[in-house]
Amino acid sequence: MPIFQGETQTEVVQGLMTLLQNESHPPIIIVKVLALLAAVITTQSQAQPVFEEVMTVAKRSKSQKVIAQAIHTASSLSQCVPPDPKLQDQVIQLALSQFTSTNYVIKVRSLEAVGNLCPTEEGRVQSAIMKTLIEHTKHQDNRVRTAAFNALLVVQEREVKLSPEVYDSVCQALHDDYQCVREVALNLIKVAADGDPERLVPIPDSDHHVRLVDHAFSQICNMVNDISVRVRTKAASLLGNMTSVSERFLAQTLDKKLMSNMRRKRSAHERARAMVASGEWSTGKRWSDDAPKEQVEADSVSVINTGACGAFVHGLEDEFLEVRNATLDSICALALNNSQFANQSLDFLVDMFNDEIEEVRLKAIQVLQQIACHITLRSDQLGEILHALKDSSLDIRESLHTFLATTILSTMDCIKLCVTGLIDNLRRYPQDRRSIHRCLRRLGSNHPILVEALVPQLLLIHPYFDGVEPSVQDGEYICKLILVLNAAVHCPTIVPLLEQHTLRHYAYLRDTMPQLVPVLKLGEDWQPTGEAVATNTLRFLRESMEKVANLERSSTQMRLTIYQIVHSDLVKLADIDPELSPAAHFAALYTQCMWLFNKILSTRNWLTPSSLSVQQSGALKSNVDQLLRNTFRLRHAFTNLSPQAEASIRNLRVRTLALQLVYVVHGSTGSALGLCDNFLEHTEALHRYLTDEKLSGDSFLEAVFEELSQLEEPRPGAVARILQPLLISHPVPALAPITNPREIRMCSAEILEPQPDSEVIYKLSAGLVVGVPLDAEVSHIPNPSTLRIRVAYPDHSTHLVVPPKSHLRKVGPGTYRLLTTVLVSAQVSWSEACQVGLSLVLDLSDQEVLAARRHSVAKADDSATTIQLVKPVKVLVWPKVIRKGV
Amino acid sequence: MPEIKVTPLGAGQDVGRSCILVTIGGKNIMLDCGMHMGYNDDRRFPDFSYITDGPLTDYLDCIIISHFHLDHCGALPYMTEMVGYNGPIYMTQPTKALCPVLLEDMRKVAVERKGETNFFTSVMIKDCMKKVVTVTLHETLQVDSDLEIKAYYAGHVLGAAMFHIRVGSQSLVYTGDYNMTPDRHLGAAWIDKCRPDLLISESTYATTIRDSKRCRERDFLKKVHDAVDRGGKVLIPVFALGRVQELCILLDTYWDRMNLKVPIYFTMGLAETANKYYRMFITWTNQKIRRTFVHRNMFDFKHIKPFDKSYMDNPGPMVVFATPGMLHAGLSLAIFKKWASNANNMVIMPGYCVQGTVGHKILNGAKKIDFENRTSVEVNLTVEYMSFSAHADAKGIMQLIRHCEPKNVMLVHGENAKMEFLKQKIMQEFNINCYKPGNGETSIIPVSIDLDVEVSLPLLKHTMALPTSSSSSSSSSSSSSSSSSSSRGNNTEENRTKKQKVLHGVLIMKNNNLRIVGVNEAWGDLGVTAHNLRFTERIEVDETGPVPALTSALHTLLSQKLGSSQVQAVNEFQLSVADSVFINIQDDEPGKTILLSWTHQDEGLGSKLLDIIKSNYKKS
């Protein structure tokens, strides 16, 4: 249903009204008209006249469907903004008068209406409504019952207090034959318990009382055993919201054998515990331990769950994963508030690691991870958990790594188990290396004391004998080192334990993986060089930029040289200081652009390419292309720029487009219409931007604006004629000093899988596809939907593949992880395996070159519209001939 | 009082040879037709001569087989072909597919290995299967015009079903064997709130509440893993169908996850056929298998290879699934004999063992087993018991009872002492009767019978309309409905649908059906002329004036008392009140006589009028 605006809407309403007034229409049309009216009208001023008509229809009509719909429409009309209490009264009266009807639709609609409109202040109307609602919760039709409970739910949400008898009737409704009634009753119980948690509810057949929230909790627990999956799921998920439940009840949910009896809770509780100890119920684990012992007192045991008994145990054992998942969520929510419960639920969660469905296993691990702060693991529990590291699913292993990184282990054995488990994991799945390293780093810094005791064992240090020096290429050794070195930060006594070669390796690791190995306070000898020296990269960056800025009066040749020097300096700087790398790249690119500009403009006869030699014209063309690419990259690859920087980038871009236009108009015979449009569009956009940001353009731009405004019709030739002298007379300004060099972000990516030096050959039948698993980390891309996987085939054809959105997961601010399978294909068979390049690019063709597209100036080469994020990784692919007759 | 009669011919306070005879609403039904594993003589089959001396077909209306385990269907060919029965046999599709496979296997063992004669033949099995009618889940199947059956999912094994049997208003549910917790390949039993008169439930684990399934699975995997790690051989005696598929899935996925290389063997042949069927009946399996089978059918095992007898003596660790499950015969027993003396080895009994089998003996800790041919074997290997058999535990049984809300419960298929315990629990918890008849013992379960009575629509409408009219018409109308309405005061109008009402009508029993109709209707129907019973009272009064004067005086008086609308003057000598009471005034010198006449329905009104008149015109 489209939303109409102003005039059209009024017309629509008028049309509908005339339809409504005509009594000869069949009921079905009237019903539809009424429904449309309810959907179209949103304001009270419109609702007023329509409302009258609807009410007369309701009174006039004989059709029950029409009456029902009229009530519904009237109800929604009366709720238009601002709500009109007078209209609402009328609707309530209408609805109340229609309850005599035997038709269920009318009843349902009426219940909905009075539920929605029930006044919040007490009074005659309210009590009448409440009475009607309560009466209808026992109606013979299940749909009416559902509607009545739903209406009560709405009323409760409007903070009208429900009487205690409502709660009783809701509890009865839990045993209803219809699942929809049970479902809504569950909701209502939950809401009731939230509203008045501390009210005492009597237990039947005794003079004891329980808190309402506890009572409600046990009622909902009962429903975890319902017949219907929907009700079970609902019950299981509602349990998680009831955080104020008493501990006594909470503890029961995990105990299947504890048989409590609502009548005498405490005594039954104790007796039941004794019974479990005496083994009245066998576990089915041992043969013939289920021979009945002597008869226990009649009412002391109850096999049926009255109360919260074992609700979660049942939920976790449920047949359907929806219920199991909901139960896990609830356990998580409750355990976050209650560390005792968290510890109790631990065993059950670990059991879930053994679930048959991966989704559930994963969820169990995630829950465990969330409640990790509450639990201390024993070694037997840890053993079970570490088992899951052998799972073939990457998600499960990585979640487990995160869990292990956050958890608190109780003993040395646990650490040892953990390390062995992780190393075994590394052996099985080498692609987990990064994740395992991160895990060990946290593990070390979380348990320095425990690790200290393990150092000799881990690093094979012997008091008398010198061990063999392990290789730093050894993955397992690196793992152990990461653990030990991170512990050493918090426990200085570790350092003296280490051997000489270990310290040497520390220096090496500190250089190669600085983010995993912390700085240790060591003697002068072992300090990695350069560590302590103040680098002052920031100053260097600034100085370099100043150097460029002060070139205005120097000769062209001089400038070109300095541009080049500064450019290469900055590129190096980017490698040295990762923090400044984006800013340095930014400055470097800009400098290169300046160089290119100067180079092009200083080329003699650049406007008459025909007079140039082949070599010169080729160089010129490539320079222009390079310039376009650079400015494009500057424009899109960097984020978090200051407005000034942004403006100068856009300036540069416009200037480049101007250059391109002039070059094309003079140099080639083709139409430059598209280019001209593109240039104008950019110029205008920049103009708007500058006005919005209250910045002034540079002199070139000012001149362009001025000249353009005098132009009658912007034809390419005319525009180019204007631009040509301007380009030369206004040299490219130097980049304004970067105000926030550490905050600039450049989009980048790293492909973790496939490994570049992998020798795996993906074989496929020609014409079919093969999936290459791709695992990459992408950071700081402005818009994730522009991410593409670029597949470059040996025949120089490239494909851009859009990765499914669900395969892109956010792992941190601005950082995404792409886990997907790239489909690679070839139509014909190849004689041998060839390299196919996989890389990640941003595809900005929609945004940038729209105008160019329109005039079909798009080039075959996609480099003009894409930004490469990472160097291609080569994989070997070998399409083979399809065997005939198979 | 109508009743349901139940006689177990097997499985009464016993496990094995399930065969229960039910008489419900005049229909005779046999539930399951199993054989006993513990016996090799006549006792293994139910005693069909108990049923009737004549041909069974005349006596039995149908046979229902709950699932394909031999203790539930083993005696079927014997009964249909050798004893003789030609009526319908109902079972689910997978049961029909797998049943003959198992029967054939059993026949081979009995005839070819043990050399028994007088056993049913392959042809008989085939002929027997031709009599089978298949039932799909939740399909209501009409056996004849009165008897209908409906199958529910029961878990336990592939194709296991619970049956809801209904004759008229009487109904019962027979659970067969069922499992309330889902496992690696099957879902949980499910039944709706069908509220049968009787629930016949199995009670194998009447006194057990089991640990969570995952706990058990983990223990199992751990034990197997430890045993193969120390180089031992693991024997898992199983029945070819059912549990073994679950355990195979479990071990197969575990081997996959743990990257183990130790061989797992599985006695093929029978199991191969069975797996074929398992792969086919995907709709009967659990959520996981149903969701993944497009990608890979879980029953296509990766690590499990067929077993050959020569492998028995191979060195090194291995895991072997061998049939039969209770170590009473066949390959599993042969392997057991070979491996029993080595302490490194292990045998895991994944299910229940009937008394008298080797399995039962070793589970009870026997250190030496003697065999028939005077050989004996030392039991040195580890014996583990792991309850993998998919029966509901006590909690599951209670849960099923709660779900289907029966009026009576009967326990079968369990040990007597344990049943007694559960029986107490059920009676105390649900407050319903619970039975546990032994074999050959008949339980008679009284059921209340519901009679369908047709009420004529005009009568209903008339009665429904009454209270509204009664409030306005007259309180003098003596119908009890008005009195009830007045006693409840001005109770809300909306609630009137809920209110009880007295209905006046005539109950007509004719042609085996019952109808309640209005009086007038009944007269018309039955061709009876109506007789009116009128009371007449004569009151003499000392009035001297002319008759019309008295009439009008009386009219005024009564109008005052009853309301003017009720009283009408018919003519000078006659008044009528509420169209039914007539008052005649006669000139009877010297005084007058007032003749009051009312029908017996208007007794209240009549006597009231009488009082009024008497008190006003008392003869002085």
Side-chain angles (χ1 to χ4, degrees), chain A residues 494-530:
Chain A
I494 290 181
V495 178
L497 289 174
L498 301 179
E499 293 197 37
Q500 297 290 310
H501 61 79
T502 318
L503 293 173
R504 270 205 314 281
H505 294 163
Y506 158 69
Y508 168 76
L509 287 183
R510 179 72 202 129
D511 271 349
T512 48
M513 36 181 87
Q515 68 277 27
L516 288 174
V517 182
V519 184
L520 289 181
K521 289 198 189 70
L522 296 178
E524 200 54 31
D525 296 349
W526 305 113
Q527 212 60 50
T529 48

Side-chain angles (χ1 to χ4, degrees), chain B residues 225-420:
Chain B
H225 198 161
D226 289 350
V228 295
D229 269 357
R230 63 168 188 255
K233 302 180 188 348
V234 182
L235 169 66
I236 308 174
V238 286
F239 287 104
L241 288 162
R243 256 354 69 200
V244 64
Q245 270 76 19
E246 182 192 359
L247 293 177
C248 282
I249 286 188
L250 195 59
L251 276 188
D252 197 55
T253 45
Y254 185 79
W255 249 235
D256 214 25
R257 267 167 68 184
M258 296 301 150
N259 210 8
L260 290 174
K261 297 283 179 254
V262 175
I264 308 175
Y265 295 115
F266 186 9
T267 51
M268 280 300 157
L270 179 59
E272 184 73 295
T273 335
N275 281 350
K276 195 175 76 199
Y277 286 117
Y278 267 79
R279 264 171 241 148
M280 264 160 50
F281 291 110
I282 287 295
T283 45
W284 287 77
T285 56
N286 71 4
Q287 202 184 13
K288 158 87 176 172
I289 299 179
R290 268 182 285 153
R291 277 167 53 135
T292 53
F293 90 99
V294 180
H295 183 61
R296 179 173 92 92
N297 198 320
M298 296 272 278
F299 294 109
D300 289 326
F301 304 116
K302 265 193 214 161
H303 299 268
I304 298 173
K305 302 174 199 92
F307 186 69
D308 187 278
K309 269 209 178 130
S310 59
Y311 296 168
M312 225 189 283
D313 301 316
N314 279 4
M318 63 172 96
V319 181
V320 175
F321 290 100
T323 50
M326 296 184 192
L327 279 181
H328 53 276
L331 188 62
S332 65
L333 191 61
I335 299 175
F336 176 76
K337 281 183 192 165
K338 274 246 162 66
W339 292 0
S341 51
N342 190 338
N344 258 349
N345 295 343
M346 182 160 74
V347 58
I348 298 182
M349 307 296 300
Y352 184 82
C353 285
V354 170
Q355 211 148 16
T357 57
V358 175
H360 192 260
K361 283 178 202 156
I362 58 168
L363 280 172
N364 281 329
K367 279 284 142 213
K368 197 170 176 192
I369 305 284
D370 298 317
F371 295 103
E372 287 145 3
N373 47 0
R374 291 207 189 150
T375 51
S376 68
V377 138
E378 296 271 329
V379 183
N380 290 331
L381 82 181
T382 335
V383 178
E384 295 283 356
Y385 169 69
M386 192 127 302
S387 167
F388 264 101
S389 53
H391 292 275
D393 62 0
K395 201 149 201 171
I397 297 171
M398 296 300 253
Q399 219 176 69
L400 187 87
I401 296 175
R402 197 162 67 146
H403 283 170
C404 82
E405 296 183 2
K407 299 189 184 75
N408 298 280
V409 177
M410 175 178 291
L411 298 178
V412 295
H413 200 279
E415 288 164 32
N416 190 13
K418 296 180 187 172
M419 277 175 163
E420 180 59 36

Side-chain angles (χ1 to χ4, degrees), chain B residues 197-208:
Chain B
D197 291 310
L198 176 67
L199 172 78
I200 304 178
S201 169
E202 63 126 337
S203 53
T204 321
Y205 288 110
T207 53
T208 308

Side-chain angles (χ1 to χ4, degrees), chain A residues 535-546 580:
Chain A
T535 47
N536 251 339
T537 43
L538 189 59
R539 206 180 74 205
F540 180 77
L541 176 70
R542 207 162 277 154
E543 278 171 0
S544 304
M545 294 315 292
E546 275 165 17
L580 278 181

Side-chain angles (χ1 to χ4, degrees), chain A residues 96 99-100 102 107 131-132 135-136 138-140 174-177 182 222 225-229 232 255-259 263 280-288 290-306 309-310 313-314 316-322 324 347-348 350-361 380 384 387-388 390-392 428-429, chain B residues 153 180-193 195 204-219 221-223 225 250 254 256-259 285-288 290-291 298 351-354 359-360 362-365 384-388 393-395 398-399 402-405 417-418 420-422 424-425 428-430 491-498:
Chain A
L96 286 176
F99 275 120
T100 45
T102 48
K107 286 207 179 235
K131 206 165 134 213
T132 321
E135 254 164 30
H136 279 86
K138 295 200 171 63
H139 193 266
Q140 58 199 5
L174 287 181
H175 304 291
D176 200 281
D177 279 9
R182 296 199 297 268
N222 265 335
N225 286 318
D226 197 82
I227 311 181
S228 144
V229 186
R232 288 204 298 267
D255 197 341
K256 196 173 166 184
K257 282 160 226 138
L258 203 79
M259 268 136 250
R263 274 167 286 169
E280 209 235 342
W281 296 97
S282 92
T283 57
K285 256 197 233 168
R286 296 219 312 277
W287 173 251
S288 78
D290 51 352
K293 310 276 179 329
E294 79 268 45
Q295 195 65 44
V296 246
E297 222 177 300
D299 63 348
S300 59
V301 198
S302 143
V303 194
I304 276 286
N305 302 338
T306 46
C309 261
V313 180
H314 282 287
L316 292 178
E317 280 188 31
D318 198 275
E319 183 180 358
F320 292 93
L321 83 112
E322 293 88 348
R324 296 203 293 268
D347 281 332
F348 293 91
V350 175
D351 272 356
M352 294 308 284
F353 285 16
N354 201 14
D355 196 273
E356 55 201 353
I357 294 184
E358 187 183 317
E359 202 182 325
V360 182
R361 291 203 294 268
D380 57 324
E384 302 294 348
H387 233 44
K390 294 169 183 164
D391 203 295
S392 53
R428 276 170 200 268
Y429 306 102
Chain B
Y153 192 75
M180 292 298 281
T181 45
D183 62 33
R184 288 273 162 172
H185 72 309
L186 297 173
W190 188 87
I191 197 161
D192 53 22
K193 261 188 207 179
R195 301 198 174 93
T204 321
Y205 288 110
T207 53
T208 308
I209 291 184
R210 286 187 286 186
D211 263 0
S212 92
K213 157 195 104 182
R214 292 189 188 78
C215 232
R216 273 180 281 147
E217 285 171 357
R218 212 177 52 205
D219 275 3
L221 293 171
K222 211 171 193 171
K223 276 172 189 163
H225 198 161
L250 195 59
Y254 185 79
D256 214 25
R257 267 167 68 184
M258 296 301 150
N259 210 8
T285 56
N286 71 4
Q287 202 184 13
K288 158 87 176 172
R290 268 182 285 153
R291 277 167 53 135
M298 296 272 278
Y352 184 82
C353 285
V354 170
H360 192 260
I362 58 168
L363 280 172
N364 281 329
E384 295 283 356
Y385 169 69
M386 192 127 302
S387 167
F388 264 101
D393 62 0
K395 201 149 201 171
M398 296 300 253
Q399 219 176 69
R402 197 162 67 146
H403 283 170
C404 82
E405 296 183 2
K418 296 180 187 172
E420 180 59 36
F421 178 80
L422 189 65
Q424 296 304 326
K425 288 270 163 281
Q428 161 201 334
E429 202 68 57
F430 298 102
N491 208 345
T492 45
E493 294 262 309
E494 302 94 284
N495 208 9
R496 68 163 195 260
T497 43
K498 282 274 167 186

Side-chain angles (χ1 to χ4, degrees), chain A residues 55 62 112 186 195 198 222 232 315 439 533 568 572 608 613 700 717 759 786 817 855 863:
Chain A
M55 292 301 271
K62 297 250 173 353
E112 279 170 6
L186 272 177
E198 297 302 325
N222 265 335
R232 288 204 298 267
C439 171
V533 185
S568 59
K572 284 216 180 73
T608 48
S613 69
F700 169 74
E759 309 232 311
T786 55
R817 172 125 186 229
H855 298 275
S863 65

